[in-house]
Amino acid sequence: MSADPLHRAGTPQRSTKSQPPNGSGATAIEVRRSARRRRTVSAYREGDRTIVLIPARMSEAEEQRWVSVMLDKLAAQESKRVLGDDELAERAERLSGQYFGGRARPRSVRWVTNQNTRWGSCTPAEGSIRLSHRLQGMPEYVVDYVLLHELAHLLVPGHGPRFWRLLEAYPRTERARGYLEGVVAAERLPHLPGARGE
């Protein structure tokens, strides 16, 4: 595998950018090497990027291994974090600004427990968005997709071409839809009693 052109060996402090492996929530990974960092590796999200901080002397193989470890760790932390209604509303506002130029302005955004066959719903006349509690604990990019889907309904009520063009702006639309389809498919699988004991 060829090295990234920004990946220069021997530089005491450098930054590498790459696309994430399948399944990660961020659209890009930036590895920052530091001569002051001796043993510790850390990572955090910065918008749509994941920043991974590693010691400068780490080999490329170690870097790749640690990036994978840290992406898994961040995903596990994010899946445990449950947003409250206020945080959900703030997130909707941020997503509207980022992808729809702030044009989608809901009056209320909240979790509900009475939606077991839908992931979300929107009442454009009231400006209200409701997300199913079943999304809680799913990856952030999936929750963001459902929020954007409902925000788009504030601008375009149906599911016509204009609606889907709006969602094309979100880079993880297909991945999120695939994730949700997988969840639905898994729920439909037969659960065979005693299958382990046979």
Side-chain angles (χ1 to χ4, degrees):
M1 182 157 58
S2 63
D4 187 302
L6 295 175
H7 203 105
R8 295 180 296 276
T11 308
Q13 193 167 27
R14 71 175 188 231
S15 183
T16 336
K17 294 181 182 173
S18 63
Q19 292 303 311
N22 288 338
S24 85
T27 56
I29 299 162
E30 183 174 333
V31 177
R32 294 180 185 168
R33 291 179 170 257
S34 169
R36 289 188 296 168
R37 189 174 283 268
R38 296 289 174 211
R39 285 189 289 261
T40 60
V41 176
S42 62
Y44 61 92
R45 303 279 194 215
E46 190 176 87
D48 283 343
R49 293 182 305 152
T50 300
I51 311 298
V52 182
L53 307 170
I54 64 173
R57 60 187 169 83
M58 207 174 257
S59 70
E60 284 188 42
E62 288 175 307
E63 175 183 315
Q64 289 175 2
R65 183 177 72 81
W66 274 107
V67 165
S68 179
V69 166
M70 297 312 286
L71 287 174
D72 289 346
K73 196 172 183 178
L74 281 174
Q77 289 170 351
E78 289 166 354
S79 70
K80 290 177 187 166
R81 185 170 177 264
V82 176
L83 300 174
D85 288 349
D86 289 342
E87 290 174 300
L88 203 58
E90 288 170 14
R91 192 173 196 135
E93 186 179 337
R94 179 181 58 79
L95 289 167
S96 175
Q98 187 173 356
Y99 295 101
F100 302 148
R103 292 178 298 134
R105 295 187 191 124
R107 289 191 197 103
S108 70
V109 183
R110 61 190 173 93
W111 295 108
V112 293
T113 57
N114 62 351
Q115 289 190 135
N116 294 314
T117 58
R118 296 173 165 201
W119 297 114
S121 62
C122 174
T123 308
E126 297 172 5
S128 63
I129 291 175
R130 295 159 305 281
L131 263 55
S132 171
H133 72 286
R134 295 181 307 139
L135 289 164
Q136 292 175 340
M138 289 190 187
E140 286 186 358
Y141 73 93
V142 175
V143 176
D144 285 353
Y145 164 73
V146 176
L147 267 174
L148 279 165
H149 185 107
E150 302 311 331
L151 285 165
H153 279 308
L154 293 174
L155 304 172
V156 180
H159 288 105
R162 268 185 65 224
F163 175 85
W164 293 112
R165 274 196 300 276
L166 280 174
L167 286 179
E168 284 174 5
Y170 184 58
R172 291 175 294 242
T173 290
E174 289 306 314
R175 180 182 291 167
R177 291 183 71 186
Y179 184 99
L180 293 170
E181 287 169 9
V183 170
V184 171
E187 289 171 352
R188 291 181 181 155
L189 289 174
H191 297 284
L192 302 174
R196 287 185 178 206
E198 292 176 359

